[in-house]
Amino acid sequence: MKRITLIAALLLSFVAASAQLSLYLANDLGRNGYYQQKQIAALMGAMAEEDGPEAVLALGDVHHFEGVASVNDPLWLTNFELIYDHPELMIPWYPVLGNHEYRGNTQAVLDYAHVSRRWCMPARYYSLRFEDDGITVRVIMLDTTPLIDKYRNDSITYPDAHLQDADAQLAWLEAELAAAAEDWVIVTGHHPVYADTSKDESERTDMQARVGEILRRHRVDFYICGHIHNFQHIRPAGQKVDYVVNSSASLSRTKVKAVEGAQFISDEAGFARLTATATTLTLDLINAEGKTLHTIQRSK
């Protein structure tokens, strides 16, 4: 009897130790399958056979260059449906809007949730809670374009940006983080708070002043974004948040240099895999050949 009890206890211990929750992250996708988009999409599907991810977090610019015109725009097929066609990628995709979506019909991006069962976008910004075998993860999805003055001030190119209530979103973010009680807390958006980039410095200073200040006041493990088309892992001095730029899942940019606090940089294209257990949170940055270039791990 004691032996059976011991075996059962060991089995339960093994199951608890091996329990994990997995998510994929991809962004800057929409290139009609060109460059490395098809290659990375096939890799994501093949790896999903082993990882069994709960969902894909699509962090903006699913559609280059002018967004989409409607839910019937052919770009939905050539940028998304016919590219990410592996059976293991027929899981929920949770997107946020990128600056390129804001060049087109942003409402159509939200409304596509009524067309595709896997396109799960309840609002412009929203909060997700994942739970599996007692592991809990809070993911906050931000709509960053309206938080940046550059876009708000250009109502011709980005007609919807100035119409959004940035203060309301920031107040919502503050409240969501204050209430978050999950094992792990991740905030995502399209634009970086910290990064090396040739884009306007004002993009980052606006994000630092508006989003960065809020993140510093709360328990946040990762802030993960796209936009720059290369991999960067930055931990600024005196901060506890790991800031990660996820590379493009199609076309990368080859010039990247280390900024203050940089832990890793790479000019390769790829995607990211997030794995949570009860005691560790792991983010793997993976290139188009399936090689893990860099791993970030947080522990309790």
Side-chain angles (χ1 to χ4, degrees):
M1 186 67 171
K2 288 183 178 179
R3 183 183 177 189
I4 294 174
T5 303
L6 178 60
I7 291 173
L10 289 172
L11 286 172
L12 286 172
S13 176
F14 174 76
V15 170
S18 61
Q20 63 180 32
L21 187 156
S22 177
L23 300 168
Y24 282 2
L25 299 96
N27 45 266
D28 302 280
L29 315 169
R31 299 282 179 169
N32 288 285
Y34 281 81
Y35 305 100
Q36 292 179 287
Q37 189 183 10
K38 285 184 179 178
Q39 178 184 350
I40 294 169
L43 173 66
M44 290 171 62
M47 291 183 64
E49 294 178 6
E50 299 295 326
D51 295 331
E54 300 281 329
V56 178
L57 308 181
L59 305 185
D61 285 3
V62 175
H63 299 291
H64 286 82
F65 291 89
E66 303 297 327
V68 290
S70 71
V71 295
N72 299 311
D73 195 314
L75 288 176
W76 285 108
L77 294 177
T78 58
N79 278 338
F80 179 60
E81 299 288 2
L82 299 180
I83 305 299
Y84 303 95
D85 58 356
H86 192 286
E88 296 299 325
L89 297 180
M90 299 299 156
I91 56 179
W93 285 59
Y94 294 102
V96 294
L97 297 165
N99 51 291
H100 283 283
E101 276 86 12
Y102 263 95
R103 295 171 75 103
N105 184 342
T106 57
Q107 187 59 46
V109 182
L110 278 79
D111 291 344
Y112 195 67
H114 302 300
V115 176
S116 172
R117 289 178 60 185
R118 61 176 169 162
W119 190 262
C120 304
M121 191 174 187
R124 291 174 184 265
Y125 54 90
Y126 53 98
S127 184
L128 302 167
R129 186 179 191 272
F130 296 95
E131 181 172 3
D132 190 16
D133 289 326
I135 303 162
T136 56
V137 178
R138 174 66 59 181
V139 179
I140 295 175
M141 311 285 284
L142 295 180
D143 182 19
T144 55
T145 301
L147 303 180
I148 298 171
D149 291 343
K150 165 186 170 180
Y151 301 110
R152 296 185 67 86
N153 295 335
D154 187 353
S155 59
I156 295 176
T157 308
Y158 308 97
D160 287 351
H162 75 285
L163 301 176
Q164 311 310 315
D165 191 334
D167 291 337
Q169 181 178 182
L170 294 172
W172 171 87
L173 172 62
E174 186 93 57
E176 284 291 313
L177 290 176
E182 287 73 22
D183 298 327
W184 307 104
V185 179
I186 296 131
V187 180
T188 72
H190 183 65
H191 293 86
V193 177
Y194 297 95
D196 169 60
T197 174
S198 60
K199 296 179 182 292
D200 291 344
E201 179 66 20
S202 65
E203 292 187 15
R204 292 178 301 292
T205 55
D206 285 353
M207 286 292 290
Q208 287 166 23
R210 292 165 182 163
V211 175
E213 285 301 308
I214 296 174
L215 300 186
R216 295 178 70 167
R217 290 198 290 269
H218 297 279
R219 179 178 62 89
V220 176
D221 294 293
F222 290 126
Y223 175 78
I224 309 173
C225 67
H227 191 50
I228 311 300
H229 293 226
N230 49 49
F231 287 119
Q232 299 183 52
H233 169 207
I234 300 164
R235 179 177 278 193
Q239 294 203 40
K240 296 181 180 180
V241 182
D242 282 296
Y243 294 88
V244 181
V245 178
N246 191 35
S247 188
S248 168
S250 55
L251 177 66
S252 67
R253 295 193 176 104
T254 57
K255 292 183 179 180
V256 57
K257 64 180 185 296
V259 297
E260 183 179 352
Q263 309 296 305
F264 173 79
I265 59 172
S266 171
D267 60 10
E268 296 198 50
F271 73 106
R273 173 180 57 203
L274 185 77
T275 306
T277 72
T279 57
T280 60
L281 183 67
T282 304
L283 187 67
D284 295 313
L285 307 183
I286 301 167
N287 72 4
E289 284 71 46
K291 178 183 178 182
T292 298
L293 302 176
H294 181 62
T295 296
I296 312 162
Q297 188 168 86
R298 297 175 70 96
S299 301
K300 289 189 179 297

